[in-house]
Amino acid sequence: MTEAERRATRFAFDSWSPPYLRPILYLIGGMLCVLGVAMLAPAAVDIAVGNDDWQAFATSAVITTACGGGLIYFARVKLDGGLTLRQAFLLTPLAWSAVALFAALPLYISDFGPMRDSFTNAIFESVSGLTTTGATVIVGLQEAPPGILIWRAILQWLGGIGIIATAIAILPALGVGGMQLFRTESSDRSEKVLPRVREVAAAITIIYCGFTLACILAYWLAGMSLFDAVAHALSTISTAGFSTYDNSLGHFQNPAIHWVAVFFMLTGAIPFVLYVRLFQGESDPLRNSQVRVLLAFTAAAVLFMTFWLTLSGRYEIGDALRFAALNVVSVVTTSGFASADYSSWGNLAVGVFFGLMFVGGCTGSTTGGVKIFRYEVMAKLLRSYFRHLLFPRGVFPRTYGGRELPDEVIHSVVVFFSLFFICYSIITVALMAFDLDFLTSASAAVSALSNVGPGLGPVIGPAGNFASLPDPVKWILSFAMLLGRLELFTVLILFMPRFWRG
Amino acid sequence: MTEAERRATRFAFDSWSPPYLRPILYLIGGMLCVLGVAMLAPAAVDIAVGNDDWQAFATSAVITTACGGGLIYFARVKLDGGLTLRQAFLLTPLAWSAVALFAALPLYISDFGPMRDSFTNAIFESVSGLTTTGATVIVGLQEAPPGILIWRAILQWLGGIGIIATAIAILPALGVGGMQLFRTESSDRSEKVLPRVREVAAAITIIYCGFTLACILAYWLAGMSLFDAVAHALSTISTAGFSTYDNSLGHFQNPAIHWVAVFFMLTGAIPFVLYVRLFQGESDPLRNSQVRVLLAFTAAAVLFMTFWLTLSGRYEIGDALRFAALNVVSVVTTSGFASADYSSWGNLAVGVFFGLMFVGGCTGSTTGGVKIFRYEVMAKLLRSYFRHLLFPRGVFPRTYGGRELPDEVIHSVVVFFSLFFICYSIITVALMAFDLDFLTSASAAVSALSNVGPGLGPVIGPAGNFASLPDPVKWILSFAMLLGRLELFTVLILFMPRFWRG
């Protein structure tokens, strides 16, 4: 365990008291200040092109920074004592909700589009951005002011680095969803690589920025305008999926751009801590089992879909490969870009893409969904179980990454799977109560929980958007995006009465 | 453990050899003889009404009994040594497939309807009958000869008692899907109640026949013709769902008949071993946790649907309760009768009925599906896990029925859930490859796996049938029905290469 993690688990039974909330408010204040400063970027862009919208961003920047500064001042506290377990559980959903709320502010007060009149739409777009989902309520992105477009991209980029930080610094310490597996792993190794979580975080931030620059350059060289290159790079490396065009990457009839997107979405789907080790000469990401399974699975799905598209006469083999690669990789990495309306590739494609939405990338990356390592753990359990059935007296140890898989981790993963499917079912039925059809409801539910973005079918499919859905549905989906992004537990535990007792 | 179970687990590592298959063939031979004799009943019915179809049944009876007798003679063996684990695994799917094959014979050679020309249709109808599923390929049941109708009902009735026997005598010994929970329970108690499995089986058979007679009487008193009463009673007590009318129980605009059906479907969904204990004055089924959860859950679902039907203005409250009760109970108990086309009750109803298809009744009853006790075990795991999250050093024992739940049982249940969802997903995508839409494919997959019967949507919903589906789809669904009926493991283990090694 690193020092920060030891602190986090130190007190589990402390009682509620006003000073208890202070470290939480202090940290949220800090995040709001960062967010407020980030709002200056879209303001600058709008000023540069002479768009009046810069005022919305400037106003929001002032309000957000003021609130953030106020919180810091009000709650000022030394964080040397670290966070208790309960504080960490409380911090995670509270911080993400607060940031999403303030991030929606410029969208709400700006003069553009469907968010102007509707608090619901502003929140939906903001949550969809921050959680790197990429579902949008905007129709006519082409006419949107550049400030709004770049703000959406920045939200996704911030959400991407935010979830990597959460997955490395907080979730393993909380021991949710099998993440304790990465507690031991990262701490054992990090003592050799970099002594402290803070330094790992710094290294990851540098790498994240580096990849972003590389992606901007690649998109630009492939033929995008600089603005489009920046906007798309910010939402590609964060496997997020907001585009500046209604028909997403389908706008660009340029194979080079599509392959750049495929490459960087995959880059964003790999645990960033592996890149740190790679640059330290410590290990090769391609030898990590999670990465290998992700790449092998994605390749198989792409080949299958290429085969199907060719066989059914929809595309020639070259185009089929390109369309299959971009859309399959986009869904598996929970990005949500599209280069074609795969909803119209026949029922088999609908079924396959529906299934792909449950997969997700690697833990510690910017992807959402169930994630590869949990499928690996389940596969180990199934394998050992079937052997045990046949040889009841045999001993079949379960290992992962060369170590024994403790029962605690297996239970943790199992509980994650059950909660994922329970939430998925409840949300689906809840959406159907608003008389949405089965495919729309089910695909919206899994797409939101997995932070993919588009659903399936004519309404919310890759060729559609979420604008026409009723307001309560947008709130349910916003909640689902946060729930999925924060790996379920950290949100659901707040609904336990015991959590709130002294 | 009872003596028979001790035998079953005695040898796990014995090698393959010709005598190895003899006990299996011997037992299958016995079952075929029973089946052959049962064919005389529809033959007699057809003779009574002067229908030429009696020849198909008489011919099949001769062939089936001859094959059964031949197997018994060829494989003659003393069963005192019991079965080994591997023999028991092999026996279960082999016996059910063989019986389904011969049961399809009279349907195939008879002169009636869609099964005459089509081996596929005959097998589908036979498997659907034996597995107590109740999905049909026959359009125009009203015009079907009575022999065919009564044969379909007899298949369901035999399938019902067959699965109770399998669930009591074989599955607990194999230790699949958490069934080992009932190994200890039933043996501990049975030593007091009845000393041997064979006697429990005899008692259950008597109770099953008693309930069937009571159901016939009740249907008849409620206003059915004697023929309809017999046909429906056979498929009600076995929670199976074949009717003698295209629109199922909706044919009878008679509330009394509907409530009789509700009562006896629920009767069939309760573990039959509890009735044995009840009649021995040993215990009260209503104090069993599985039974209580089933009844409470069903009541809640019925009330919810009643509320929805009244609120949406579809029925008045009295009718709403009756329609909700029959159709909800029918789906939860995996019967598959319908008194209305609930597919047309709006999208919320579609979602709810889709979810209900995953539930199932109690283990040791005639119902299919995941079954209540597995949900109970998962709930215990979730509950203890959330407490553990909050209090990492606390100890939260998991108990079921007053005993500790061993990790082995939990893993077993978890593996069952994962296999169920894996099979469900694969079958759904497989059906979509034949260009069936999402709702049809997904509902057909779960309906077959859970042995419910009808799916959802216009094609295979409660107002439709499976006649128009392509042949390969019917084969996939027949396989799915057997897979679900035999609790997945006993079929899937045959696909393990290790199973076949010496």
Coordinates of all heavy atoms in Angstrom, one line a residue, chain B residues 226-268:
Chain B
L226 N -64.8 -31.7 -20.5 CA -63.9 -32.7 -19.8 C -62.6 -32.8 -20.5 O -61.5 -32.8 -20.0 CB -64.6 -34.0 -19.6 CG -63.8 -35.0 -18.8 CD1 -63.6 -34.5 -17.4 CD2 -64.4 -36.4 -18.8
F227 N -62.7 -32.8 -21.9 CA -61.5 -32.9 -22.7 C -60.5 -31.7 -22.5 O -59.3 -31.9 -22.2 CB -61.8 -33.1 -24.2 CG -60.6 -33.2 -25.1 CD1 -60.0 -34.4 -25.2 CD2 -60.1 -32.0 -25.7 CE1 -58.8 -34.5 -26.0 CE2 -59.0 -32.1 -26.5 CZ -58.4 -33.3 -26.7
D228 N -61.1 -30.5 -22.6 CA -60.3 -29.3 -22.3 C -59.7 -29.3 -20.9 O -58.6 -28.9 -20.7 CB -61.1 -28.1 -22.6 CG -61.3 -27.8 -24.1 OD1 -60.5 -28.4 -24.9 OD2 -62.1 -26.9 -24.4
A229 N -60.6 -29.8 -20.0 CA -60.1 -29.8 -18.6 C -58.9 -30.7 -18.4 O -57.9 -30.3 -17.8 CB -61.2 -30.2 -17.6
V230 N -59.0 -31.9 -19.0 CA -57.8 -32.8 -18.9 C -56.6 -32.2 -19.6 O -55.5 -32.1 -19.0 CB -58.2 -34.2 -19.5 CG1 -56.9 -35.1 -19.6 CG2 -59.3 -34.8 -18.7
A231 N -56.8 -31.7 -20.8 CA -55.6 -31.2 -21.6 C -55.0 -30.0 -20.8 O -53.7 -30.0 -20.7 CB -56.1 -30.8 -23.0
H232 N -55.8 -29.1 -20.3 CA -55.2 -27.9 -19.7 C -54.7 -28.3 -18.3 O -53.7 -27.7 -17.9 CB -56.3 -26.8 -19.6 CG -56.5 -26.1 -20.8 ND1 -57.4 -26.5 -21.8 CD2 -55.8 -25.0 -21.4 CE1 -57.4 -25.6 -22.8 NE2 -56.4 -24.8 -22.6
A233 N -55.3 -29.2 -17.6 CA -54.8 -29.6 -16.3 C -53.4 -30.2 -16.4 O -52.5 -29.9 -15.6 CB -55.7 -30.6 -15.6
L234 N -53.2 -31.1 -17.4 CA -51.9 -31.7 -17.6 C -50.8 -30.6 -17.8 O -49.7 -30.8 -17.4 CB -51.9 -32.7 -18.7 CG -52.8 -33.9 -18.6 CD1 -52.8 -34.8 -19.8 CD2 -52.2 -34.8 -17.4
S235 N -51.1 -29.6 -18.5 CA -50.1 -28.6 -18.8 C -50.1 -27.4 -17.8 O -49.3 -26.5 -17.9 CB -50.2 -28.1 -20.3 OG -51.4 -27.4 -20.5
T236 N -51.1 -27.4 -16.9 CA -51.1 -26.3 -15.9 C -50.2 -26.8 -14.7 O -49.4 -26.0 -14.2 CB -52.5 -26.0 -15.4 OG1 -53.3 -25.7 -16.5 CG2 -52.5 -24.9 -14.4
I237 N -50.4 -28.0 -14.2 CA -49.7 -28.4 -13.0 C -48.2 -28.6 -13.3 O -47.4 -28.4 -12.5 CB -50.3 -29.7 -12.5 CG1 -49.9 -30.0 -11.0 CG2 -50.0 -30.9 -13.3 CD1 -50.4 -29.0 -10.0
S238 N -47.9 -28.8 -14.6 CA -46.5 -28.9 -15.0 C -46.0 -27.5 -15.4 O -44.9 -27.5 -16.0 CB -46.4 -29.9 -16.1 OG -47.2 -29.6 -17.2
T239 N -46.7 -26.4 -15.1 CA -46.3 -25.1 -15.5 C -45.7 -25.0 -16.9 O -44.7 -24.5 -17.1 CB -45.3 -24.5 -14.5 OG1 -44.1 -25.2 -14.6 CG2 -45.8 -24.4 -13.1
A240 N -46.5 -25.6 -17.8 CA -46.0 -25.8 -19.2 C -46.6 -24.9 -20.2 O -45.9 -24.2 -20.9 CB -46.2 -27.3 -19.6
G241 N -47.9 -24.9 -20.4 CA -48.5 -23.9 -21.2 C -49.1 -24.2 -22.5 O -49.6 -23.3 -23.2
F242 N -49.1 -25.5 -23.0 CA -49.8 -25.9 -24.2 C -51.3 -25.7 -23.9 O -51.8 -26.2 -22.9 CB -49.5 -27.3 -24.6 CG -48.2 -27.4 -25.5 CD1 -47.6 -28.7 -25.5 CD2 -47.8 -26.4 -26.2 CE1 -46.5 -28.8 -26.3 CE2 -46.6 -26.6 -27.0 CZ -46.0 -27.8 -27.1
S243 N -52.0 -25.1 -24.9 CA -53.4 -25.0 -24.8 C -54.1 -25.8 -26.0 O -53.3 -26.2 -26.9 CB -53.9 -23.6 -24.8 OG -55.3 -23.5 -24.8
T244 N -55.4 -25.9 -26.0 CA -56.0 -26.5 -27.1 C -56.7 -25.4 -28.0 O -57.4 -25.7 -28.9 CB -57.1 -27.5 -26.6 OG1 -58.0 -26.8 -25.8 CG2 -56.5 -28.6 -25.9
Y245 N -56.3 -24.2 -27.7 CA -56.9 -23.1 -28.5 C -55.7 -22.1 -28.9 O -54.8 -21.9 -28.1 CB -57.9 -22.3 -27.8 CG -59.1 -23.2 -27.4 CD1 -59.2 -23.8 -26.2 CD2 -60.1 -23.4 -28.4 CE1 -60.3 -24.7 -25.9 CE2 -61.2 -24.2 -28.1 CZ -61.3 -24.9 -26.9 OH -62.3 -25.7 -26.6
D246 N -55.8 -21.5 -30.1 CA -54.7 -20.6 -30.5 C -54.6 -19.4 -29.6 O -53.4 -19.0 -29.4 CB -55.1 -20.1 -31.9 CG -54.7 -21.0 -33.0 OD1 -54.1 -22.1 -32.7 OD2 -55.0 -20.8 -34.2
N247 N -55.7 -18.9 -29.0 CA -55.5 -17.8 -28.1 C -55.5 -18.3 -26.7 O -55.9 -17.5 -25.8 CB -56.5 -16.7 -28.4 CG -57.9 -17.2 -28.5 OD1 -58.1 -18.4 -28.5 ND2 -58.9 -16.3 -28.5
S248 N -55.0 -19.5 -26.4 CA -54.7 -20.0 -25.1 C -55.9 -19.8 -24.2 O -57.1 -20.0 -24.6 CB -53.5 -19.2 -24.6 OG -53.0 -19.8 -23.4
L249 N -55.7 -19.5 -22.9 CA -56.8 -19.3 -22.0 C -57.7 -18.1 -22.3 O -58.7 -17.9 -21.7 CB -56.3 -19.3 -20.5 CG -55.7 -20.6 -20.0 CD1 -55.1 -20.4 -18.6 CD2 -56.7 -21.7 -20.0
G250 N -57.2 -17.3 -23.2 CA -58.0 -16.1 -23.6 C -59.3 -16.6 -24.3 O -60.3 -15.9 -24.5
H251 N -59.3 -17.9 -24.8 CA -60.5 -18.5 -25.4 C -61.6 -18.5 -24.4 O -62.8 -18.3 -24.8 CB -60.1 -19.9 -25.9 CG -61.3 -20.6 -26.4 ND1 -61.8 -20.5 -27.7 CD2 -62.1 -21.5 -25.8 CE1 -62.8 -21.2 -27.9 NE2 -63.1 -21.9 -26.7
F252 N -61.3 -18.7 -23.2 CA -62.4 -18.8 -22.1 C -62.6 -17.5 -21.5 O -61.8 -17.0 -20.8 CB -62.0 -19.8 -21.1 CG -61.7 -21.2 -21.6 CD1 -60.3 -21.6 -21.8 CD2 -62.7 -22.1 -21.9 CE1 -60.0 -22.8 -22.3 CE2 -62.4 -23.4 -22.4 CZ -61.1 -23.7 -22.6
Q253 N -63.8 -16.9 -21.8 CA -64.1 -15.6 -21.2 C -64.8 -15.9 -19.8 O -65.9 -15.5 -19.6 CB -65.0 -14.7 -22.1 CG -64.3 -14.3 -23.3 CD -63.0 -13.5 -23.0 OE1 -62.9 -12.7 -22.1 NE2 -61.9 -13.7 -23.8
N254 N -64.0 -16.6 -19.0 CA -64.6 -17.1 -17.7 C -63.7 -16.9 -16.6 O -62.7 -17.6 -16.5 CB -64.9 -18.6 -18.0 CG -65.5 -19.3 -16.8 OD1 -65.4 -18.8 -15.6 ND2 -66.1 -20.4 -17.0
P255 N -64.0 -15.9 -15.7 CA -63.0 -15.6 -14.6 C -62.7 -16.9 -13.8 O -61.5 -17.0 -13.4 CB -63.8 -14.6 -13.8 CG -64.7 -13.9 -14.7 CD -65.1 -15.0 -15.7
A256 N -63.6 -17.7 -13.5 CA -63.4 -18.9 -12.6 C -62.2 -19.7 -13.2 O -61.3 -20.2 -12.5 CB -64.6 -19.7 -12.5
I257 N -62.3 -20.0 -14.5 CA -61.2 -20.8 -15.2 C -59.9 -20.1 -15.0 O -58.9 -20.7 -14.7 CB -61.6 -21.0 -16.7 CG1 -62.7 -22.0 -16.8 CG2 -60.4 -21.4 -17.5 CD1 -63.2 -22.2 -18.2
H258 N -59.8 -18.8 -15.2 CA -58.6 -18.1 -15.1 C -58.0 -18.2 -13.6 O -56.8 -18.4 -13.5 CB -58.8 -16.6 -15.4 CG -59.1 -16.4 -16.9 ND1 -59.4 -15.2 -17.4 CD2 -59.1 -17.3 -17.9 CE1 -59.6 -15.3 -18.7 NE2 -59.5 -16.6 -19.1
W259 N -58.9 -18.1 -12.6 CA -58.3 -18.2 -11.3 C -57.9 -19.6 -10.9 O -56.9 -19.8 -10.2 CB -59.4 -17.6 -10.3 CG -59.5 -16.2 -10.3 CD1 -60.6 -15.5 -10.8 CD2 -58.5 -15.2 -10.0 NE1 -60.4 -14.1 -10.7 CE2 -59.1 -13.9 -10.3 CE3 -57.2 -15.2 -9.5 CZ2 -58.4 -12.7 -10.1 CZ3 -56.5 -14.0 -9.3 CH2 -57.1 -12.8 -9.6
V260 N -58.6 -20.6 -11.5 CA -58.1 -22.0 -11.3 C -56.7 -22.1 -11.9 O -55.8 -22.7 -11.2 CB -59.1 -23.0 -12.0 CG1 -58.5 -24.4 -12.0 CG2 -60.4 -23.0 -11.2
A261 N -56.5 -21.6 -13.1 CA -55.2 -21.7 -13.7 C -54.2 -21.0 -12.8 O -53.1 -21.5 -12.6 CB -55.3 -21.0 -15.1
V262 N -54.5 -19.8 -12.3 CA -53.5 -19.1 -11.4 C -53.1 -19.9 -10.2 O -51.9 -20.1 -9.9 CB -54.1 -17.7 -11.0 CG1 -53.3 -17.1 -9.9 CG2 -54.2 -16.8 -12.1
F263 N -54.2 -20.5 -9.6 CA -53.9 -21.3 -8.4 C -53.0 -22.5 -8.7 O -52.0 -22.8 -8.0 CB -55.2 -21.8 -7.8 CG -55.0 -22.6 -6.6 CD1 -54.8 -22.0 -5.3 CD2 -55.1 -24.0 -6.7 CE1 -54.6 -22.8 -4.2 CE2 -54.9 -24.8 -5.5 CZ -54.7 -24.2 -4.3
F264 N -53.3 -23.2 -9.8 CA -52.5 -24.5 -10.0 C -51.2 -24.2 -10.6 O -50.3 -25.0 -10.5 CB -53.4 -25.5 -10.8 CG -54.4 -26.2 -10.0 CD1 -55.7 -25.8 -9.9 CD2 -53.9 -27.2 -9.1 CE1 -56.6 -26.5 -9.1 CE2 -54.8 -27.9 -8.3 CZ -56.2 -27.5 -8.3
M265 N -51.0 -23.1 -11.4 CA -49.7 -22.7 -11.8 C -48.8 -22.5 -10.6 O -47.6 -22.9 -10.5 CB -49.7 -21.5 -12.7 CG -50.2 -21.8 -14.1 SD -50.0 -20.4 -15.2 CE -51.3 -19.3 -14.8
L266 N -49.3 -21.7 -9.6 CA -48.5 -21.4 -8.4 C -48.3 -22.7 -7.6 O -47.2 -22.9 -7.1 CB -49.2 -20.4 -7.5 CG -49.2 -19.0 -8.0 CD1 -50.1 -18.1 -7.1 CD2 -47.7 -18.5 -7.9
T267 N -49.2 -23.6 -7.6 CA -49.0 -24.9 -7.0 C -47.9 -25.7 -7.6 O -47.1 -26.3 -6.9 CB -50.3 -25.8 -7.1 OG1 -51.4 -25.0 -6.5 CG2 -50.2 -27.1 -6.4
G268 N -47.8 -25.6 -8.9 CA -46.7 -26.3 -9.6 C -45.4 -25.6 -9.5 O -44.3 -26.2 -9.8

